[in-house]
């Protein structure tokens, strides 16, 4: 089983030591032949008191959608999450992993792939089909990641890139990237001047003046915004 566990983890690029794969099979799901990998998610210690003296209290089975290179053959992770009772503090808990959010059925890797696809000029429908998720899921990924980008933004890179991504109903969203490593700085719910200016004005002028370049297409609309925000192309 150790060899099988290692091989599946290598194939799926998974490193979580608390995830132990034991089997795999194929089944027909939503008219598509689906690969299913079975694993037990172990709870090594109590999340409250960190005691390793735990009493097993069953499992919770979750089917998680995972990355696939072939859209016609989806991949599911059948996670058997351990439920435990801490013998020290008596608290009940269930094993969790960074692979997927709590109570979520779509892996974080899949969400990241969806978000990366949103940076290209493509429709949400095509992105959803490629990743075996619904169009609403693609929209939720975009919406859920918008707030953390804003909340964590405390500085700006020296080189920025402005563009837009197409959303549900052909709606366009403003996206700002780090011009050096293409890391996403923010994605706004629209591409209106008022929204863009409001976002960047949350940064002090001293931070904005550190921006050396802004990469744009031929859209004069963004050029005017960059000039207005003191410190950009100034």
């Amino acid at each position: 089983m150790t060899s099988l566990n290692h091989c599946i983890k290598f194939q799926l690029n998974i490193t979580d030591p608390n995830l132990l794969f034991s089997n795999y099979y194929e089944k027909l799901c939503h008219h598509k032949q689906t690969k299913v990998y079975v694993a037990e998610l172990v709870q090594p210690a109590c999340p409250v008191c960190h005691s390793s003296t735990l009493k097993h209290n069953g499992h919770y089975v979750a089917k998680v959608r995972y990355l696939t290179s072939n859209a016609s053959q989806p991949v599911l992770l059948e996670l058997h999450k351990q439920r435990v009772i801490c013998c020290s503090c008596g608290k009940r808990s269930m094993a969790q992993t960074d692979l997927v959010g709590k109570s979520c059925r779509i892996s974080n890797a899949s969400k990241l792939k969806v978000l990366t696809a949103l940076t290209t000029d493509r429709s949400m429908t095509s992105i959803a089909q490629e990743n075996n998720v619904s169009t609403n899921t693609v929209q939720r990924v975009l919406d859920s990641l918008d707030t953390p980008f804003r909340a964590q933004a405390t500085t700006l890179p020296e080189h920025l890139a402005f563009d837009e991504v197409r959303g549900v109903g052909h709606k366009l969203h403003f996206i700002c990237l780090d011009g050096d490593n293409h890391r996403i700085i923010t994605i706004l719910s629209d591409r209106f001047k008022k929204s863009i200016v409001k976002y960047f004005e949350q940064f002090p002028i001293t931070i904005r003046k550190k921006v050396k370049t802004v990469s744009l297409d031929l859209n004069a609309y963004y050029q005017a915004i960059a000039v207005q925000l003191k410190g950009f192309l100034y």
Side-chain angles (χ1 to χ4, degrees):
M1 187 176 90
T2 303
S3 177
L4 178 62
N5 176 55
H6 176 75
C7 289
I8 293 178
K9 281 188 172 182
F10 180 79
Q11 181 181 11
L12 299 179
N13 195 28
I14 293 175
T15 58
D16 191 337
N18 299 323
L19 204 57
L20 306 176
F21 287 91
S22 59
N23 195 12
Y24 63 93
Y25 60 92
E26 291 189 5
K27 73 172 185 176
L28 194 63
C29 183
H30 301 295
H31 307 291
K32 289 185 178 181
Q33 198 66 22
T34 303
K35 290 184 177 180
V36 183
Y37 295 90
V38 183
E40 180 175 19
L41 184 57
V42 179
Q43 177 77 303
C46 175
V48 179
C49 68
H50 307 293
S51 171
S52 58
T53 308
L54 306 173
K55 179 181 178 182
H56 294 293
N57 189 34
H59 292 84
Y60 171 78
V61 180
K63 300 287 182 67
V64 178
R65 297 186 187 183
Y66 198 65
L67 291 175
T68 178
S69 58
N70 184 357
S72 64
Q73 191 169 50
V75 171
L76 285 179
L77 302 182
E78 184 180 302
L79 302 185
H80 295 249
K81 300 181 179 181
Q82 282 188 355
R83 284 173 168 162
V84 298
I85 302 175
C86 180
C87 296
S88 299
C89 67
K91 296 292 184 181
R92 298 173 182 264
S93 61
M94 184 169 63
Q96 301 296 334
T97 175
D98 292 336
L99 200 67
V100 60
K102 187 176 181 181
S103 303
C104 188
R105 298 300 179 92
I106 300 175
S107 68
N108 293 329
S110 296
K111 291 179 180 179
L112 182 59
K113 185 180 177 183
V114 167
L115 186 62
T116 302
L118 284 168
T119 63
T120 61
D121 187 16
R122 295 175 54 191
S123 68
M124 285 194 172
T125 301
S126 67
I127 294 174
Q129 291 174 346
E130 180 183 286
N131 293 278
N132 293 300
V133 297
S134 67
T135 305
N136 288 335
T137 296
V138 177
Q139 181 66 58
R140 283 196 297 270
V141 169
L142 182 61
D143 292 342
S144 65
L145 292 178
D146 179 37
T147 301
F149 283 139
R150 296 188 187 190
Q152 296 171 7
T154 56
T155 186
L156 291 170
E158 293 183 348
H159 306 284
L160 294 177
F162 289 179
D163 208 342
E164 61 255 345
V165 294
R166 193 176 302 279
V168 174
H170 302 288
K171 180 180 179 181
L172 292 174
H173 304 266
F174 172 80
I175 182 170
C176 176
L177 305 174
D178 186 321
D180 290 325
N181 55 30
H182 297 164
R183 180 176 62 88
I184 297 174
I185 304 301
T186 190
I187 300 177
L188 303 183
S189 59
D190 57 58
R191 65 185 186 108
F192 299 138
K193 180 178 179 180
K194 180 179 179 181
S195 302
I196 298 172
V197 171
K198 181 179 179 181
Y199 171 78
F200 283 107
E201 284 186 342
Q202 71 176 314
F203 299 97
I205 186 63
T206 53
I207 297 295
R208 301 206 302 270
K209 281 187 175 181
K210 292 180 180 180
V211 176
K212 296 180 179 179
T213 65
V214 180
S215 299
L216 311 163
D217 55 20
L218 297 179
N219 191 339
Y221 179 76
Y222 289 146
Q223 294 179 26
I225 294 176
V227 172
Q228 178 178 339
L229 297 166
K230 295 179 180 179
F232 290 179
L233 307 179
Y234 207 70

